[in-house]
Amino acid sequence: MTTAHPWAEARETAWAAGYAAKPAATELPFGEAVGSALAAPLVAVSDLPAFPTSAVDGWAVAGEGPWRVEPALFGGAVLAGQVPEALKPGQAVKIATGAQVPEGTEGIIRLEHSTIEDGLVGGPAAREWREAGEEAAQGEELLAAGTPISPPVIGLAAAAGHATLPAHAKPAARVVVFGDELLTSGVSRDGRVRDSLGPMVPHMLTAAGAAAGPSIGPVEDTLEAHVAALREALADADLVCTTGGTMVGPVDHLHAALAEIGAEYVINTVAVRPGFPMLLARTEDGKFIAGLPGNPQSAVIAVVTLVAPLLAGLRGLPLPALGTVALAEDVPGRGDFTHLALVDRDGHRLGHHGSAMLRGLANAAGFAVIGPESTGAQGVTVELATVPGA
């Protein structure tokens, strides 16, 4: 008999499996590195800033004032992108924010604080510029290895002189949809239902850090078709997420298909409701298969529980942190199982939260985590599991 993994342990196990299997880091363009983690420290290629730059629009002045305006000097103003000549004592020249400060400058008068009379500039002069190396010196470590690569990190890397970053590439992912009963267009009819997971899950995988291709299926309910679809998806993917077939009913062939292709379980079932049963398996060549239940909300919980942590590990990121929410009402437990209860940002439990429903999920802040053998009481702050991309 299979023993279900506790929910928190399952998240950690999935992440650890991904982290152990993460590919070698390479130098990636910014657009490919974002969402990963730095595989080596980020250092400044040059001083930052590389030269003194004005912090304001004003007048650069040298020597004692008042200072003579030199209309012909530097074309009338020092602009960003120019290398100015040195100022001589008694001279003043207009300077733009971000422009290189001329040598000899002893102060800058802000434009709004300046006066001009008979070609002479007056006003309070101060060191209104950033010194070379003020933010970082050449060779200084700016960020440690393991830092998540966010848009601000990319901006810092570019400012520090980089064009690429050492990081782990996005894992390629595919979704395989199982089920003769599924339709890919129109409305549910004649005993068949419209597939929601094929269109939805790839976007969640993308938000969680994968390079997700189009879904495969629906795949007919035979073992041969399941095996063929898995092999097709695994040919060009590091992670395959299947939908449906995680039970052991007469048309549930996933477990037999995993045995056929030689995959071994990393996790086989998790003690969570909704979401039971789900699984994570690994092939002999180190690729992963995540079995998501066929009920839509349960499938999303499987993504939150197993897939998002796995993808974080594969990109060298830490286990995704859980948020918190203060419950606005009592939330029941689910006995031996962790209960993931849909709530809004104010902690109210949402309606339409059945395993087969998506209406509540579309308006949710995430899932309030109610541990085994416990309940959630009004006013208590509990952990919140969020959905990638939501």
Side-chain angles (χ1 to χ4, degrees):
M1 181 177 177
T2 300
T3 301
H5 287 250
W7 182 76
E9 177 188 296
R11 293 182 72 241
E12 295 171 356
T13 300
W15 173 83
Y19 194 83
K22 65 184 182 297
T26 58
E27 288 290 332
L28 298 176
F30 293 153
E32 296 179 23
V34 67
S36 187
L38 289 174
L42 178 70
V43 299
V45 177
S46 67
D47 288 345
L48 187 63
F51 44 80
T53 56
S54 179
V56 298
D57 293 328
W59 295 93
V61 297
E64 297 291 330
W67 299 271
R68 298 185 310 278
V69 177
E70 301 287 352
L73 195 62
F74 317 120
V78 180
L79 305 178
Q82 298 177 340
V83 179
E85 298 177 14
L87 275 182
K88 297 177 181 178
Q91 291 183 328
V93 65
K94 191 173 289 187
I95 189 167
T97 300
Q100 183 170 340
V101 177
E103 288 187 24
T105 299
E106 296 178 35
I108 295 177
I109 306 169
R110 291 175 176 251
L111 282 182
E112 62 269 27
H113 298 159
S114 66
T115 59
I116 301 178
E117 186 175 352
D118 297 329
L120 297 175
V121 175
R127 296 182 68 84
E128 298 271 21
W129 62 79
R130 296 192 306 150
E131 297 286 359
E134 182 177 309
E135 186 171 358
Q138 181 179 0
E140 182 179 344
E141 180 176 316
L142 302 174
L143 295 171
T147 301
I149 299 172
S150 62
V153 169
I154 287 174
L156 175 61
H162 295 269
T164 62
L165 288 171
H168 304 283
K170 294 180 180 180
R174 297 294 295 274
V175 175
V176 176
V177 179
F178 294 144
D180 289 336
E181 78 281 9
L182 298 175
L183 298 169
T184 57
S185 62
V187 298
S188 301
R189 61 189 182 276
D190 303 325
R192 304 177 68 191
V193 296
R194 178 70 183 273
D195 171 42
S196 60
L197 297 178
M200 176 176 65
V201 174
H203 295 289
M204 291 184 176
L205 301 183
T206 297
S215 297
I216 297 172
V219 176
E220 62 181 306
D221 289 323
T222 67
L223 176 58
E224 294 77 14
H226 279 47
V227 171
L230 285 176
R231 285 178 170 156
E232 177 189 349
L234 288 167
D236 60 2
D238 305 297
L239 165 66
V240 175
C241 292
T242 65
T243 69
T246 54
M247 297 288 285
V248 290
V251 293
D252 296 319
H253 301 293
L254 177 58
H255 293 276
L258 293 175
E260 181 73 18
I261 65 173
E264 295 185 351
Y265 295 109
V266 177
I267 295 171
N268 186 9
T269 73
V270 179
V272 62
R273 299 284 187 177
F276 187 87
M278 64 180 74
L279 64 86
L280 180 64
R282 183 169 40 219
T283 64
E284 292 179 351
D285 58 354
K287 297 185 175 185
F288 290 94
I289 300 168
L292 318 182
N295 276 327
Q297 190 181 150
S298 290
V300 172
I301 287 175
V303 171
V304 170
T305 303
L306 300 180
V307 178
L310 174 75
L311 288 171
L314 285 170
R315 300 208 72 185
L317 294 163
L319 178 68
L322 297 173
T324 59
V325 64
L327 297 177
E329 57 190 273
D330 293 344
V331 178
R334 297 295 292 269
D336 294 340
F337 291 76
T338 294
H339 181 199
L340 295 190
L342 279 177
V343 294
D344 63 19
R345 297 188 184 281
D346 296 323
H348 293 282
R349 195 174 180 198
L350 294 167
H352 307 287
H353 53 254
S355 182
M357 298 180 181
L358 289 172
R359 183 172 172 182
L361 181 68
N363 293 300
F367 298 96
V369 180
I370 310 300
E373 307 295 346
S374 67
T375 60
Q378 180 181 358
V380 171
T381 297
V382 298
E383 292 178 321
L384 180 74
T386 56
V387 177

